[in-house]
Amino acid sequence: MSRIYYTKPSITELEVGYATDAARHGWGERCYEYIGRFENAFRQHLGVKHAIATSSCTGALHMGLAAIGVGAGDEVIMGDINWIASAAPITYLGASPVFVDVLPDSWCLDPAKVEAAITPRTKAIIAVHLYGNVCDMAALQDIADRHGLALIEDAAEALGSSWHGQRAGSMGAFGVFSFHGTKTLTTGEGGMLVTQDEKLFEKLAGLSNHGRVRGQSRQFWPDLIGFKYKMSNLQAAVGCAQVERIDELIEAKRRIFDAYAERLQDLPLTMNPQPAGVVNGYWMPTIVVNEGVEFDRQALLDAFATEQIDGRVFFWPLSSLPMFQPVPGNTVSYGLYARACNLPSYHDLTTSEIDRVCGVVRRFVK
Ligand SMILES: *Cc1c(COP(=O)(O)O)cnc(C)c1O
């Protein structure tokens, strides 16, 4: 019985060819060539003016938050159900994440709860498009505008997702992406910061280059303390190949989700929604068993393990982690995670492997 991983990258001769070329020739005056190409191609895919390749999404978010002026004592609002990487950079800057409840259907920020959490110290809202699901961007932008806050998109899980024709990550003050090995497009490790804002980009161009502002002609002259979160040319070479195949990569994720949804449609559970106006990139097919239905998540995960299938728990409420204060009032978040888990999804997952996963799910959700 072959192991079914929860994700793995799709690597072809194209990636191997570019990476080999970068290793052989991508040095000296060509040491930034693939980086520039990758940023350009990604920028065009997304329909944005500026893109800066980084070593991770976490680094991109750290740098972006610093660029918009988040600092000590500030508050940044985000959804309680999330990966730690969206919260950690807030703390690096001496600011505090404020965890608000999520919507029961999209598992993303509840706009009414966001508005209620705003204080004089609030600086920004981070809209994380969870598992490919898209946040209610119209409601969040309206709130951000009325309160003079920056709306930021963490689109690490939302490549291929869009909101009324605009790609996830392209709408906020800035957007960040991850190219970690588990993501829809990968460079092994890596990330990208994108923005439409000329002034913010100018600032980031300096910050991302150890504080050497653009146009500074003096050699080795940092004008301020910046960051060092650059992507290497080798990683960017892999990224160039992946971005050439981006439609294929996204289509595979969507096809896999549809195959799961079709097989599980009669069960008392919901999966990633795709409401009118939204396209879901379906990074991670997720089941949430209906409230009131008997379901032992650990038993399902144990059965997956026996069957050589990687099951993955839904994100814990961040506020339930030991380094934060619990917010039990986030009843949706605290009510969701124990009923939910992610199903394997990678580009060459076969129909019979999907059948195998669904067969196990059916034994535990009735
Ligand atoms: C994967 C992920 C990140 C972190 O990406 P890295 O490239 O590993 O830093 C951040 N936010 C979300 C929502 C993610 O899923």
Side-chain angles (χ1 to χ4, degrees):
M1 191 163 47
S2 62
R3 174 157 210 97
I4 300 178
Y5 297 92
Y6 74 84
T7 64
K8 67 180 174 188
S10 167
I11 300 299
T12 65
E13 284 307 311
L14 194 62
E15 284 79 1
V16 173
Y18 286 179
T20 305
D21 179 60
R24 273 197 222 289
H25 307 295
W27 311 104
E29 59 193 24
R30 297 181 62 186
C31 71
Y32 298 121
E33 208 170 89
Y34 278 109
I35 299 172
R37 263 175 67 182
F38 182 41
E39 288 173 340
N40 253 328
F42 194 78
R43 204 170 54 64
Q44 280 169 19
H45 164 78
L46 223 63
V48 293
K49 292 207 193 90
H50 303 290
I52 299 174
T54 58
S55 52
S56 72
C57 176
T58 309
L61 193 52
H62 185 190
M63 214 160 54
L65 289 169
I68 62 163
V70 171
D74 291 336
E75 292 174 353
V76 177
I77 295 174
M78 57 181 289
D80 204 350
I81 294 284
N82 256 315
W83 178 226
I84 187 70
S86 310
I90 301 168
T91 71
Y92 301 164
L93 293 162
S96 308
V98 174
F99 301 120
V100 306
D101 215 354
V102 298
L103 293 167
D105 52 351
S106 70
W107 325 317
C108 289
L109 275 177
D110 180 338
K113 301 285 166 54
V114 170
E115 186 139 34
I118 293 172
T119 76
R121 284 152 58 156
T122 309
K123 201 67 177 232
I125 302 164
I126 302 183
V128 183
H129 304 302
L130 210 77
Y131 302 134
N133 305 352
V134 185
C135 294
D136 184 344
M137 291 303 288
L140 293 175
Q141 192 61 64
D142 174 59
I143 294 167
D145 290 345
R146 279 190 287 106
H147 294 270
L149 306 174
L151 177 61
I152 295 155
E153 290 179 274
D154 181 343
E157 304 180 1
L159 205 65
S161 296
S162 65
W163 166 265
H164 297 278
Q166 289 174 280
R167 290 202 181 272
S170 70
M171 295 169 273
F174 67 87
V176 291
F177 290 84
S178 171
F179 309 128
H180 179 252
T182 56
K183 299 287 161 55
T184 298
L185 182 158
T186 190
T187 58
E189 293 280 1
M192 191 78 83
L193 189 153
V194 301
T195 185
Q196 302 276 39
D197 184 330
E198 202 65 45
K199 271 168 108 174
L200 187 63
F201 174 69
E202 273 305 316
K203 202 161 180 182
L204 280 159
L207 277 179
S208 67
N209 195 20
H210 261 320
R212 290 172 286 189
V213 305
R214 292 212 304 175
Q216 174 57 264
S217 54
R218 246 190 294 182
Q219 222 183 0
F220 282 111
W221 184 266
D223 298 273
L224 50 120
I225 298 283
F227 295 90
K228 182 61 195 298
Y229 286 136
K230 293 190 186 191
M231 176 179 278
S232 76
N233 200 52
L234 289 164
Q235 292 167 303
V238 175
C240 282
Q242 291 264 290
V243 84
E244 276 182 38
R245 299 176 52 225
I246 199 163
D247 292 335
E248 175 199 337
L249 297 177
I250 293 166
E251 268 323 299
K253 286 293 209 177
R254 289 179 49 79
R255 179 164 36 78
I256 289 159
F257 178 88
D258 288 343
Y260 277 122
E262 193 189 315
R263 284 162 178 76
L264 301 174
Q265 61 181 337
D266 58 312
L267 298 183
L269 54 79
T270 52
M271 297 185 69
N272 315 49
Q274 184 174 252
V278 165
V279 175
N280 196 320
Y282 294 130
W283 172 58
M284 202 43 82
T286 301
I287 54 167
V288 179
V289 177
N290 294 351
E291 257 174 304
V293 173
E294 203 181 314
F295 173 59
D296 183 343
R297 183 174 72 160
Q298 195 51 51
L300 172 62
L301 293 172
D302 291 346
F304 274 154
T306 308
E307 304 282 337
Q308 302 272 359
I309 296 166
D310 286 344
R312 219 178 90 133
V313 299
F314 197 78
F315 293 131
W316 309 96
L318 290 178
S319 70
S320 71
L321 301 178
M323 53 289 201
F324 300 117
Q325 295 296 318
V327 189
N330 289 344
T331 52
V332 177
S333 301
Y334 280 69
L336 262 175
Y337 71 91
R339 294 186 282 122
C341 79
N342 306 131
L343 305 179
S345 173
Y346 51 86
H347 312 83
D348 46 8
L349 191 66
T350 65
T351 310
S352 67
E353 287 170 325
I354 294 172
D355 286 337
R356 227 171 95 196
V357 175
C358 291
V360 179
V361 172
R362 300 194 79 88
R363 278 163 44 204
F364 292 87
V365 185
K366 293 197 172 106

